Amino acid sequence: MDDASVIIIGAGIGGLTAGIALTQAGYSVEIYDRVSELRPVGAGISLWSNGVKVLNALGLTRQMADIGGSMERMQYLSATGTLLNDIDLQPLVAQVGQCPYPVARADLQQMLLDAFPGQVHLNAKCIGVDQTEDKAIAAFADGRQATADILIGADGIRSTVREYVLEEAIAPRYAGYVNVNGLVPASSELADARTWVIYVGDHKRASMMPVGGDRFYFFFDLPLPEAAPPHPDGVRAELETAFAGWCQPVQNLIAAIAPDTANRLPIRDVGPLERFARGRVVLLGDAAHTTTPDLGQGGCQATEDAIVLARCLKAHLSVTDALKQYEADRVPRTGKLVLKARQRTDDIHGKDPAVTQKWYEQLASEPPEAVTGAIAKVILGGPLH
Ligand code: FAD
Protein backbone atom coordinates (compact mmCIF):
# COMPACT_ATOMS: atom_id res chain seq x y z
CA MET A 1 0.00 0.00 0.00
CA ASP A 2 1.27 3.49 -0.86
CA ASP A 3 0.96 6.98 0.61
CA ALA A 4 -0.25 5.90 4.04
CA SER A 5 0.25 8.00 7.16
CA VAL A 6 1.86 6.42 10.19
CA ILE A 7 2.01 7.31 13.89
CA ILE A 8 4.77 5.71 15.93
CA ILE A 9 4.55 5.74 19.71
CA GLY A 10 8.10 5.61 21.10
CA ALA A 11 11.38 7.05 19.83
CA GLY A 12 13.73 4.27 20.98
CA ILE A 13 15.80 2.08 18.66
CA GLY A 14 12.66 0.37 17.36
CA GLY A 15 10.53 3.46 16.79
CA LEU A 16 13.30 5.47 15.13
CA THR A 17 14.43 2.61 12.88
CA ALA A 18 10.82 2.02 11.85
CA GLY A 19 10.45 5.76 11.23
CA ILE A 20 13.45 5.75 8.89
CA ALA A 21 12.44 2.52 7.10
CA LEU A 22 8.84 3.64 6.55
CA THR A 23 9.80 7.14 5.42
CA GLN A 24 12.19 5.60 2.90
CA ALA A 25 9.36 3.34 1.76
CA GLY A 26 7.30 6.45 0.98
CA TYR A 27 5.07 6.81 4.03
CA SER A 28 4.43 9.94 6.01
CA VAL A 29 5.59 9.26 9.58
CA GLU A 30 5.35 11.15 12.89
CA ILE A 31 6.86 9.84 16.12
CA TYR A 32 5.57 10.62 19.62
CA ASP A 33 7.46 10.03 22.86
CA ARG A 34 6.45 10.74 26.44
CA VAL A 35 9.84 12.12 27.53
CA SER A 36 10.85 15.76 27.42
CA GLU A 37 14.39 14.84 26.40
CA LEU A 38 15.41 11.64 24.62
CA ARG A 39 17.85 9.79 26.84
CA PRO A 40 18.40 6.07 26.25
CA VAL A 41 18.02 3.65 29.15
CA GLY A 42 21.44 2.06 29.56
CA ALA A 43 24.83 3.13 28.33
CA GLY A 44 25.81 0.77 25.55
CA ILE A 45 24.61 -2.01 23.32
CA SER A 46 26.22 -4.59 21.10
CA LEU A 47 24.56 -4.40 17.74
CA TRP A 48 25.14 -7.82 16.21
CA SER A 49 25.53 -8.23 12.46
CA ASN A 50 21.80 -8.75 11.82
CA GLY A 51 21.02 -5.34 13.37
CA VAL A 52 23.94 -3.70 11.55
CA LYS A 53 22.72 -5.15 8.25
CA VAL A 54 19.33 -3.49 8.74
CA LEU A 55 20.96 -0.12 9.39
CA ASN A 56 23.26 -0.61 6.37
CA ALA A 57 20.18 -1.33 4.25
CA LEU A 58 18.76 2.00 5.44
CA GLY A 59 21.87 3.80 4.18
CA LEU A 60 23.64 4.15 7.53
CA THR A 61 26.76 2.06 6.80
CA ARG A 62 29.24 4.89 7.26
CA GLN A 63 27.48 6.38 10.28
CA MET A 64 27.45 2.98 12.02
CA ALA A 65 31.15 2.46 11.35
CA ASP A 66 31.84 5.94 12.76
CA ILE A 67 30.15 5.26 16.11
CA GLY A 68 30.91 1.53 16.41
CA GLY A 69 33.75 0.07 18.42
CA SER A 70 36.17 -2.41 16.95
CA MET A 71 35.57 -5.79 18.57
CA GLU A 72 37.91 -8.46 17.21
CA ARG A 73 37.92 -11.01 20.02
CA MET A 74 35.75 -12.20 22.83
CA GLN A 75 37.32 -13.62 25.99
CA TYR A 76 35.74 -15.44 28.89
CA LEU A 77 37.73 -15.32 32.13
CA SER A 78 37.15 -16.64 35.64
CA ALA A 79 36.66 -14.32 38.62
CA THR A 80 40.34 -14.81 39.45
CA GLY A 81 41.37 -13.81 35.92
CA THR A 82 42.13 -17.24 34.44
CA LEU A 83 41.46 -17.26 30.69
CA LEU A 84 38.69 -19.78 29.97
CA ASN A 85 38.15 -19.17 26.27
CA ASP A 86 39.64 -16.82 23.68
CA ILE A 87 37.38 -16.42 20.67
CA ASP A 88 38.47 -14.85 17.39
CA LEU A 89 35.40 -13.14 15.90
CA GLN A 90 36.77 -13.13 12.32
CA PRO A 91 35.23 -16.53 11.44
CA LEU A 92 31.87 -15.15 12.56
CA VAL A 93 32.26 -12.04 10.41
CA ALA A 94 33.28 -14.21 7.45
CA GLN A 95 30.26 -16.46 7.94
CA VAL A 96 27.63 -13.73 8.31
CA GLY A 97 29.20 -11.08 6.08
CA GLN A 98 29.16 -8.15 8.51
CA CYS A 99 31.03 -7.24 11.69
CA PRO A 100 29.07 -6.49 14.87
CA TYR A 101 29.36 -3.03 16.44
CA PRO A 102 29.35 -2.30 20.15
CA VAL A 103 28.06 1.29 20.47
CA ALA A 104 27.21 3.88 23.09
CA ARG A 105 23.41 4.11 23.16
CA ALA A 106 23.39 7.88 23.10
CA ASP A 107 25.46 7.79 19.88
CA LEU A 108 23.10 5.24 18.30
CA GLN A 109 20.02 7.22 19.25
CA GLN A 110 21.51 10.45 17.91
CA MET A 111 22.48 8.74 14.66
CA LEU A 112 18.93 7.41 14.22
CA LEU A 113 17.40 10.80 15.11
CA ASP A 114 19.64 12.52 12.55
CA ALA A 115 18.55 10.00 9.90
CA PHE A 116 14.82 10.33 10.59
CA PRO A 117 13.52 13.20 8.47
CA GLY A 118 10.07 13.45 10.09
CA GLN A 119 8.90 15.11 13.27
CA VAL A 120 9.49 13.67 16.76
CA HIS A 121 6.95 15.09 19.22
CA LEU A 122 8.22 15.06 22.81
CA ASN A 123 6.13 15.40 26.02
CA ALA A 124 3.55 13.21 24.26
CA LYS A 125 2.54 10.40 26.59
CA CYS A 126 0.14 8.06 24.84
CA ILE A 127 -2.62 7.02 27.24
CA GLY A 128 -4.99 5.25 24.88
CA VAL A 129 -5.43 3.85 21.40
CA ASP A 130 -8.51 3.28 19.29
CA GLN A 131 -9.46 2.78 15.65
CA THR A 132 -12.30 3.24 13.21
CA GLU A 133 -12.71 1.36 9.97
CA ASP A 134 -10.17 3.56 8.20
CA LYS A 135 -8.10 5.35 10.88
CA ALA A 136 -6.06 4.60 13.99
CA ILE A 137 -6.18 7.12 16.82
CA ALA A 138 -3.73 7.86 19.64
CA ALA A 139 -4.81 9.86 22.69
CA PHE A 140 -2.20 11.73 24.72
CA ALA A 141 -2.10 12.71 28.39
CA ASP A 142 -2.35 16.44 27.59
CA GLY A 143 -5.63 15.95 25.72
CA ARG A 144 -4.16 15.91 22.21
CA GLN A 145 -5.12 13.27 19.66
CA ALA A 146 -3.37 12.08 16.52
CA THR A 147 -4.88 10.03 13.70
CA ALA A 148 -3.25 8.09 10.87
CA ASP A 149 -3.76 5.05 8.66
CA ILE A 150 -1.42 2.95 10.82
CA LEU A 151 -0.35 3.16 14.47
CA ILE A 152 2.84 1.45 15.63
CA GLY A 153 3.41 0.78 19.31
CA ALA A 154 7.18 0.95 19.79
CA ASP A 155 6.68 2.00 23.38
CA GLY A 156 8.92 -0.49 25.11
CA ILE A 157 8.59 -3.07 27.84
CA ARG A 158 5.66 -1.37 29.62
CA SER A 159 3.79 -0.64 26.40
CA THR A 160 0.42 1.08 26.53
CA VAL A 161 -0.29 0.09 22.93
CA ARG A 162 0.29 -3.58 23.79
CA GLU A 163 -2.63 -3.52 26.20
CA TYR A 164 -4.87 -2.33 23.34
CA VAL A 165 -3.57 -4.94 20.87
CA LEU A 166 -3.79 -7.87 23.28
CA GLU A 167 -6.94 -6.62 25.03
CA GLU A 168 -5.24 -7.43 28.33
CA ALA A 169 -2.37 -6.12 30.44
CA ILE A 170 0.80 -8.23 30.59
CA ALA A 171 3.19 -7.77 33.52
CA PRO A 172 6.88 -8.07 32.62
CA ARG A 173 8.55 -11.07 34.28
CA TYR A 174 11.58 -10.53 36.57
CA ALA A 175 14.56 -12.49 35.22
CA GLY A 176 16.31 -12.91 38.58
CA TYR A 177 19.14 -10.41 38.33
CA VAL A 178 20.07 -6.75 38.33
CA ASN A 179 22.30 -5.26 35.61
CA VAL A 180 24.59 -2.32 36.36
CA ASN A 181 26.04 -0.63 33.28
CA GLY A 182 27.85 2.47 32.13
CA LEU A 183 30.78 3.88 30.21
CA VAL A 184 34.39 4.41 31.32
CA PRO A 185 37.43 5.69 29.40
CA ALA A 186 39.28 2.80 27.72
CA SER A 187 42.51 1.86 29.45
CA SER A 188 44.95 -1.06 29.26
CA GLU A 189 44.53 -1.46 33.05
CA LEU A 190 40.98 -2.56 32.31
CA ALA A 191 41.10 -4.60 29.09
CA ASP A 192 42.53 -4.82 25.61
CA ALA A 193 41.00 -2.11 23.40
CA ARG A 194 39.75 -4.58 20.74
CA THR A 195 38.47 -7.37 22.94
CA TRP A 196 35.13 -7.97 24.66
CA VAL A 197 36.02 -9.45 28.05
CA ILE A 198 33.53 -11.29 30.25
CA TYR A 199 34.49 -12.38 33.77
CA VAL A 200 32.23 -15.08 35.22
CA GLY A 201 31.85 -16.59 38.68
CA ASP A 202 29.41 -16.99 41.61
CA HIS A 203 26.55 -16.71 39.06
CA LYS A 204 27.64 -13.11 38.37
CA ARG A 205 29.32 -11.43 35.43
CA ALA A 206 31.57 -8.41 34.98
CA SER A 207 32.19 -7.31 31.42
CA MET A 208 33.71 -4.62 29.22
CA MET A 209 33.42 -4.04 25.49
CA PRO A 210 35.06 -1.34 23.35
CA VAL A 211 32.69 1.29 21.92
CA GLY A 212 33.57 4.29 19.74
CA GLY A 213 35.31 7.30 21.28
CA ASP A 214 37.94 5.25 23.20
CA ARG A 215 35.49 4.09 25.84
CA PHE A 216 34.46 0.77 27.32
CA TYR A 217 30.82 -0.05 27.79
CA PHE A 218 30.78 -2.10 31.00
CA PHE A 219 28.16 -4.17 32.70
CA PHE A 220 27.84 -6.21 35.88
CA ASP A 221 25.14 -8.81 36.49
CA LEU A 222 24.09 -9.51 40.08
CA PRO A 223 21.54 -12.25 40.84
CA LEU A 224 19.25 -10.72 43.50
CA PRO A 225 15.70 -11.25 44.78
CA GLU A 226 13.19 -9.09 42.96
CA ALA A 227 12.52 -6.71 45.81
CA ALA A 228 16.18 -6.30 46.87
CA PRO A 229 16.75 -2.59 47.56
CA PRO A 230 19.79 -0.81 46.09
CA HIS A 231 22.84 -0.47 48.37
CA PRO A 232 22.36 2.56 50.67
CA ASP A 233 25.84 3.86 49.75
CA GLY A 234 25.28 3.66 45.99
CA VAL A 235 26.13 1.49 43.04
CA ARG A 236 29.91 1.55 43.48
CA ALA A 237 29.61 0.31 47.08
CA GLU A 238 27.24 -2.41 45.88
CA LEU A 239 29.76 -3.56 43.25
CA GLU A 240 32.70 -3.40 45.69
CA THR A 241 30.82 -5.75 48.01
CA ALA A 242 29.44 -8.07 45.32
CA PHE A 243 32.77 -8.40 43.47
CA ALA A 244 35.16 -8.37 46.47
CA GLY A 245 38.05 -10.75 45.79
CA TRP A 246 37.62 -10.69 41.98
CA CYS A 247 40.77 -10.05 39.97
CA GLN A 248 42.50 -6.69 39.54
CA PRO A 249 40.95 -5.56 36.20
CA VAL A 250 37.48 -5.92 37.76
CA GLN A 251 38.59 -3.87 40.78
CA ASN A 252 40.13 -1.29 38.41
CA LEU A 253 36.84 -1.10 36.52
CA ILE A 254 34.80 -0.50 39.67
CA ALA A 255 37.28 2.20 40.72
CA ALA A 256 37.02 3.84 37.25
CA ILE A 257 33.24 4.36 37.42
CA ALA A 258 32.57 8.07 37.93
CA PRO A 259 30.07 8.77 40.74
CA ASP A 260 26.39 8.73 39.69
CA THR A 261 27.13 7.60 36.13
CA ALA A 262 26.12 3.93 36.31
CA ASN A 263 22.62 2.67 35.51
CA ARG A 264 21.09 -0.01 37.72
CA LEU A 265 18.32 -2.05 36.07
CA PRO A 266 16.36 -5.06 37.32
CA ILE A 267 16.12 -7.26 34.21
CA ARG A 268 12.70 -8.32 32.99
CA ASP A 269 11.27 -9.89 29.85
CA VAL A 270 7.92 -10.12 28.07
CA GLY A 271 6.63 -12.89 25.85
CA PRO A 272 6.49 -14.86 23.75
CA LEU A 273 3.28 -13.22 22.50
CA GLU A 274 1.17 -14.72 19.74
CA ARG A 275 -0.40 -11.48 18.58
CA PHE A 276 1.38 -8.33 17.38
CA ALA A 277 -1.42 -6.71 15.35
CA ARG A 278 -5.00 -5.63 15.85
CA GLY A 279 -6.54 -4.06 12.77
CA ARG A 280 -4.47 -0.93 12.01
CA VAL A 281 -2.45 -1.06 15.21
CA VAL A 282 0.77 -3.05 15.51
CA LEU A 283 3.55 -3.69 18.02
CA LEU A 284 7.27 -3.47 17.33
CA GLY A 285 10.47 -3.92 19.39
CA ASP A 286 10.32 -4.46 23.15
CA ALA A 287 6.59 -3.71 23.18
CA ALA A 288 6.11 -6.96 21.23
CA HIS A 289 9.00 -9.03 22.63
CA THR A 290 11.31 -7.96 25.43
CA THR A 291 14.26 -10.34 25.64
CA THR A 292 16.73 -10.49 28.50
CA PRO A 293 20.09 -9.01 27.43
CA ASP A 294 21.92 -12.34 27.64
CA LEU A 295 21.78 -12.88 23.87
CA GLY A 296 22.31 -9.22 22.96
CA GLN A 297 19.41 -9.44 20.51
CA GLY A 298 16.59 -7.18 21.80
CA GLY A 299 17.64 -4.06 19.92
CA CYS A 300 18.67 -6.11 16.86
CA GLN A 301 15.20 -7.67 16.75
CA ALA A 302 13.60 -4.22 16.93
CA THR A 303 15.57 -3.22 13.81
CA GLU A 304 14.55 -6.45 12.04
CA ASP A 305 10.90 -5.73 12.92
CA ALA A 306 11.22 -2.31 11.31
CA ILE A 307 12.50 -3.52 7.96
CA VAL A 308 10.06 -6.44 7.79
CA LEU A 309 7.15 -4.13 8.58
CA ALA A 310 8.19 -1.74 5.80
CA ARG A 311 8.43 -4.64 3.34
CA CYS A 312 5.03 -6.04 4.34
CA LEU A 313 3.35 -2.65 3.92
CA LYS A 314 4.87 -2.27 0.47
CA ALA A 315 3.75 -5.77 -0.54
CA HIS A 316 0.07 -5.60 0.44
CA LEU A 317 -2.79 -3.45 -0.71
CA SER A 318 -4.57 -3.41 2.62
CA VAL A 319 -3.10 -2.25 5.95
CA THR A 320 -4.65 -5.08 7.90
CA ASP A 321 -3.30 -7.75 5.51
CA ALA A 322 0.16 -6.20 5.71
CA LEU A 323 0.12 -6.13 9.50
CA LYS A 324 -1.08 -9.74 9.64
CA GLN A 325 1.79 -10.74 7.34
CA TYR A 326 4.26 -8.88 9.57
CA GLU A 327 2.84 -10.68 12.59
CA ALA A 328 3.14 -14.05 10.85
CA ASP A 329 6.78 -13.30 9.93
CA ARG A 330 7.91 -11.93 13.27
CA VAL A 331 6.06 -13.89 15.95
CA PRO A 332 7.99 -17.18 15.45
CA ARG A 333 11.48 -15.65 15.26
CA THR A 334 11.14 -13.22 18.14
CA GLY A 335 9.27 -15.73 20.31
CA LYS A 336 12.09 -18.25 19.93
CA LEU A 337 14.66 -15.63 20.89
CA VAL A 338 12.71 -14.52 23.99
CA LEU A 339 12.79 -18.14 25.19
CA LYS A 340 16.40 -18.71 24.15
CA ALA A 341 17.53 -15.59 26.01
CA ARG A 342 15.50 -16.61 29.09
CA GLN A 343 17.15 -20.04 29.07
CA ARG A 344 20.58 -18.46 28.77
CA THR A 345 19.78 -16.09 31.63
CA ASP A 346 18.90 -19.06 33.83
CA ASP A 347 22.02 -20.99 32.78
CA ILE A 348 24.33 -18.03 33.44
CA HIS A 349 22.80 -16.73 36.64
CA GLY A 350 22.46 -19.82 38.79
CA LYS A 351 18.76 -20.63 38.65
CA ASP A 352 20.05 -24.20 39.04
CA PRO A 353 23.60 -23.89 40.44
CA ALA A 354 24.60 -27.27 38.96
CA VAL A 355 23.68 -26.05 35.46
CA THR A 356 25.70 -22.86 35.90
CA GLN A 357 28.68 -24.88 37.13
CA LYS A 358 28.40 -27.03 34.03
CA TRP A 359 28.27 -23.88 31.90
CA TYR A 360 31.55 -22.66 33.45
CA GLU A 361 33.15 -26.02 32.64
CA GLN A 362 31.76 -25.96 29.12
CA LEU A 363 33.14 -22.43 28.57
CA ALA A 364 36.63 -23.71 29.26
CA SER A 365 36.35 -26.70 26.93
CA GLU A 366 34.15 -25.39 24.10
CA PRO A 367 35.90 -24.89 20.73
CA PRO A 368 35.76 -21.17 19.80
CA GLU A 369 34.08 -22.12 16.49
CA ALA A 370 31.18 -23.59 18.46
CA VAL A 371 30.64 -20.20 20.14
CA THR A 372 30.84 -18.20 16.90
CA GLY A 373 28.72 -20.84 15.13
CA ALA A 374 25.93 -20.43 17.71
CA ILE A 375 26.01 -16.64 17.35
CA ALA A 376 26.02 -16.96 13.53
CA LYS A 377 22.94 -19.18 13.64
CA VAL A 378 20.95 -16.47 15.44
CA ILE A 379 22.21 -13.78 13.05
CA LEU A 380 21.49 -15.80 9.92
CA GLY A 381 17.90 -16.39 11.04
CA GLY A 382 17.24 -12.69 10.31
CA PRO A 383 15.54 -11.20 7.26
CA LEU A 384 18.64 -9.80 5.49
CA HIS A 385 21.38 -11.88 3.89
P1 FAD B 1 12.70 1.33 24.09
O1 FAD B 1 14.13 1.55 23.83
O2 FAD B 1 12.28 0.95 25.47
O3 FAD B 1 11.94 2.66 23.66
C1 FAD B 1 10.60 2.88 23.97
C2 FAD B 1 10.31 4.35 23.86
O4 FAD B 1 8.90 4.53 24.06
C3 FAD B 1 11.00 5.18 24.93
O5 FAD B 1 11.63 6.30 24.33
C4 FAD B 1 9.87 5.62 25.85
O6 FAD B 1 10.07 6.89 26.42
C5 FAD B 1 8.68 5.63 24.91
N1 FAD B 1 7.38 5.40 25.56
C6 FAD B 1 7.06 4.44 26.45
N2 FAD B 1 5.76 4.54 26.81
C7 FAD B 1 5.25 5.59 26.11
C8 FAD B 1 3.96 6.19 26.06
N3 FAD B 1 2.94 5.71 26.78
N4 FAD B 1 3.78 7.25 25.25
C9 FAD B 1 4.82 7.75 24.50
N5 FAD B 1 6.06 7.22 24.53
C10 FAD B 1 6.28 6.15 25.32
N6 FAD B 1 19.81 -5.38 22.68
C11 FAD B 1 20.75 -5.67 21.74
O7 FAD B 1 20.42 -5.82 20.56
N7 FAD B 1 22.08 -5.79 22.10
C12 FAD B 1 22.52 -5.61 23.38
O8 FAD B 1 23.71 -5.69 23.66
C13 FAD B 1 21.54 -5.29 24.37
N8 FAD B 1 21.92 -5.07 25.66
C14 FAD B 1 20.99 -4.75 26.58
C15 FAD B 1 21.40 -4.51 27.90
C16 FAD B 1 20.47 -4.19 28.87
C17 FAD B 1 20.92 -3.96 30.27
C18 FAD B 1 19.09 -4.09 28.52
C19 FAD B 1 18.07 -3.75 29.56
C20 FAD B 1 18.68 -4.33 27.22
C21 FAD B 1 19.62 -4.65 26.24
N9 FAD B 1 19.24 -4.87 24.91
C22 FAD B 1 20.17 -5.19 23.97
C23 FAD B 1 17.83 -4.75 24.51
C24 FAD B 1 17.54 -3.39 23.91
O9 FAD B 1 17.97 -2.38 24.78
C25 FAD B 1 16.05 -3.25 23.65
O10 FAD B 1 15.57 -4.38 22.99
C26 FAD B 1 15.77 -2.01 22.79
O11 FAD B 1 16.25 -0.85 23.42
C27 FAD B 1 14.28 -1.91 22.53
O12 FAD B 1 14.01 -0.75 21.80
P2 FAD B 1 12.54 -0.22 21.67
O13 FAD B 1 12.63 0.98 20.78
O14 FAD B 1 11.63 -1.32 21.30
O15 FAD B 1 12.10 0.19 23.14
Side-chain angles (χ1 to χ4, degrees):
M1 89 161 277
D2 294 319
D3 298 332
S5 56
V6 182
I7 293 169
I8 300 177
I9 308 296
I13 298 169
L16 287 169
T17 309
I20 298 164
L22 293 174
T23 308
Q24 290 184 3
Y27 302 106
S28 149
V29 184
E30 299 207 8
I31 303 182
Y32 294 80
D33 201 293
R34 66 182 170 190
V35 297
S36 55
E37 186 192 344
L38 286 172
R39 261 186 313 192
V41 177
I45 186 168
S46 70
L47 213 53
W48 287 98
S49 315
N50 50 324
V52 178
K53 283 182 187 186
V54 171
L55 298 175
N56 289 348
L58 297 178
L60 296 169
T61 310
R62 182 188 50 77
Q63 292 88 328
M64 266 314 302
D66 283 350
I67 64 168
S70 174
M71 186 167 78
E72 293 171 0
R73 308 189 82 78
M74 202 175 145
Q75 288 182 344
Y76 281 100
L77 302 104
S78 72
T80 53
T82 304
L83 184 64
L84 302 174
N85 211 330
D86 183 13
I87 300 152
D88 180 359
L89 291 174
Q90 267 320 303
L92 169 74
V93 177
Q95 198 177 346
V96 303
Q98 171 61 53
C99 67
Y101 283 124
V103 290
R105 280 184 192 251
D107 293 350
L108 178 61
Q109 189 152 30
Q110 192 56 52
M111 180 194 84
L112 295 172
L113 267 172
D114 290 344
F116 174 62
Q119 199 174 352
V120 179
H121 304 264
L122 300 179
N123 295 308
K125 181 180 179 187
C126 176
I127 54 165
V129 174
D130 206 350
Q131 62 189 305
T132 62
E133 205 172 304
D134 58 357
K135 287 286 171 208
I137 305 147
F140 297 98
D142 60 5
R144 265 183 296 172
Q145 283 201 341
T147 59
D149 299 308
I150 300 159
L151 187 149
I152 299 172
D155 50 344
I157 185 168
R158 297 189 188 276
S159 168
T160 300
V161 183
R162 183 172 65 226
E163 195 167 335
Y164 172 80
V165 169
L166 300 183
E167 300 177 76
E168 64 172 322
I170 301 254
R173 172 189 159 282
Y174 181 56
Y177 74 97
V178 165
N179 173 286
V180 172
N181 66 68
L183 295 168
V184 289
S187 143
S188 58
E189 294 196 342
L190 302 178
D192 174 74
R194 291 176 180 269
T195 304
W196 174 16
V197 291
I198 309 153
Y199 293 87
V200 297
D202 303 333
H203 311 158
K204 302 171 197 165
R205 291 196 297 180
S207 179
M208 288 169 265
M209 59 170 73
V211 295
D214 281 333
R215 294 165 295 176
F216 287 135
Y217 161 54
F218 69 82
F219 67 82
F220 295 87
D221 292 343
L222 293 89
L224 286 171
E226 183 163 15
H231 195 288
D233 297 330
V235 165
R236 229 163 75 178
E238 182 169 27
L239 296 175
E240 280 164 3
T241 308
F243 292 88
W246 286 47
C247 59
Q248 198 56 47
V250 174
Q251 305 307 324
N252 294 345
L253 170 60
I254 296 170
I257 302 171
D260 303 324
T261 59
N263 306 291
R264 186 185 186 279
L265 300 171
I267 296 302
R268 298 190 164 83
D269 66 10
V270 174
L273 306 180
E274 306 231 315
R275 188 173 183 191
F276 287 2
R278 178 175 169 196
R280 300 176 165 276
V281 180
V282 68
L283 301 174
L284 181 146
D286 275 17
H289 43 75
T290 309
T291 61
T292 55
D294 299 85
L295 278 184
Q297 274 293 330
C300 298
Q301 291 308 303
T303 65
E304 287 188 6
D305 287 348
I307 205 130
V308 172
L309 181 57
R311 281 181 180 173
C312 290
L313 285 167
K314 276 313 246 188
H316 287 82
L317 287 177
S318 104
V319 170
T320 50
D321 285 353
L323 300 191
K324 279 287 158 208
Q325 181 60 55
Y326 161 80
E327 178 183 86
D329 278 8
R330 297 303 294 158
V331 162
R333 170 150 169 88
T334 56
K336 254 189 235 155
L337 290 176
V338 168
L339 294 178
K340 195 177 171 76
R342 188 177 294 165
Q343 182 64 55
R344 194 166 162 77
T345 297
D346 292 347
D347 293 352
I348 292 175
H349 297 297
K351 187 171 183 197
D352 176 346
V355 171
T356 304
Q357 184 53 39
K358 213 165 140 206
W359 182 65
Y360 294 152
E361 288 158 17
Q362 186 193 325
L363 276 181
S365 61
E366 203 170 22
E369 315 83 65
V371 179
T372 50
I375 299 172
K377 199 169 159 203
V378 171
I379 291 169
L380 293 172
L384 296 185
H385 297 296

